Amino acid sequence: MAGGVRGRAEVSRYLAALPEQLTKVLRGAGRAGGAVIADEARAGSRSDYVSRNVTARTRVDGDQVRVTVSVKPGFARSIATWLEYGTAAHFISVDDSLRQGMTARRINRAGSEDLKRSLVINGKGVGRTVHHPGADKFPFLRPALDKRHADAIATSQAYITARIKGGAVVPDAADTEDDE
């Protein structure tokens, strides 16, 4: 056979690029499935602020693609934790380390004379210390996973099926290198 095998270089390039392309496909599938869970978590949260801060992110961890649905760091995550797990009864007062020598009266200078003698919550004087009775839990993250995990898997599978056609990886503009 004169001339040898043609296309060897193209096949080699294709095979060399395949692991990266498949990782992108799997991350896209993770994003698609994670979006299903995140949407359910947003719908199940009692707080619009928390709902606006629910995210689904992917990352490659060794030979695995991981999807994390969570609430962005900051006060929204604190509220989400209180919602998800509830709070025990507790006392609220101005922490001595944060007072900088000030009294509750000085901290709460704004307001009428009777409010200047106490902590102020919603514009009302409540005393130097308040006993909070705690809050019931209202989970929304874990129930979102429990309720929609099958839909998330089906959505991920549909993404993979759409991206791999005829033994080739079909490009997608949504592919990213890293969500985190």
Side-chain angles (χ1 to χ4, degrees), residues 3 8 16 18 23 26 45 59 62 104 132-134 153 176 179:
R8 185 181 303 186
L18 196 55
T23 297
L26 292 176
S45 173
R59 68 182 170 144
H132 188 290
I153 291 169
T176 61
D179 285 346

Side-chain angles (χ1 to χ4, degrees), residues 133-149:
D136 292 335
K137 60 183 177 178
F138 189 80
F140 65 99
L141 283 170
R142 181 57 196 223
L145 176 62
D146 292 344
K147 184 176 179 182
R148 299 291 305 275
H149 73 277

Side-chain angles (χ1 to χ4, degrees), residues 9-25 169:
E10 291 83 8
V11 170
S12 292
R13 278 194 299 276
Y14 177 79
L15 291 175
L18 196 55
E20 181 181 343
Q21 289 177 343
L22 291 176
T23 297
K24 288 180 180 181
V25 169
V169 177

Side-chain angles (χ1 to χ4, degrees), residues 67-147:
V67 181
T68 303
V69 176
S70 65
V71 178
K72 292 178 187 174
F75 193 57
R77 185 175 285 174
S78 296
I79 294 171
T81 302
W82 300 331
L83 285 173
E84 190 78 11
Y85 301 107
T87 62
H90 57 281
F91 287 95
I92 301 171
S93 64
V94 179
D95 188 304
D96 288 336
S97 67
L98 299 175
R99 285 178 185 256
Q100 300 174 334
M102 294 187 287
T103 64
R105 177 181 174 183
R106 188 166 177 197
I107 291 169
N108 291 296
R109 285 214 184 255
S112 63
E113 285 302 313
D114 60 328
L115 296 181
K116 290 182 182 178
R117 294 185 193 86
S118 69
L119 291 170
V120 177
I121 297 176
N122 290 331
K124 297 179 181 174
V126 295
R128 292 176 185 254
T129 302
V130 176
H131 182 261
H132 188 290
D136 292 335
K137 60 183 177 178
F138 189 80
F140 65 99
L141 283 170
R142 181 57 196 223
L145 176 62
D146 292 344
K147 184 176 179 182

Side-chain angles (χ1 to χ4, degrees), residues 34-48 50-56 69-70 72 140-141 144:
V36 171
I37 304 301
D39 288 345
E40 183 67 27
R42 287 183 196 103
S45 173
R46 285 187 168 177
S47 166
D48 290 340
V50 170
S51 294
R52 286 190 305 271
N53 285 281
V54 171
T55 63
V69 176
S70 65
K72 292 178 187 174
F140 65 99
L141 283 170

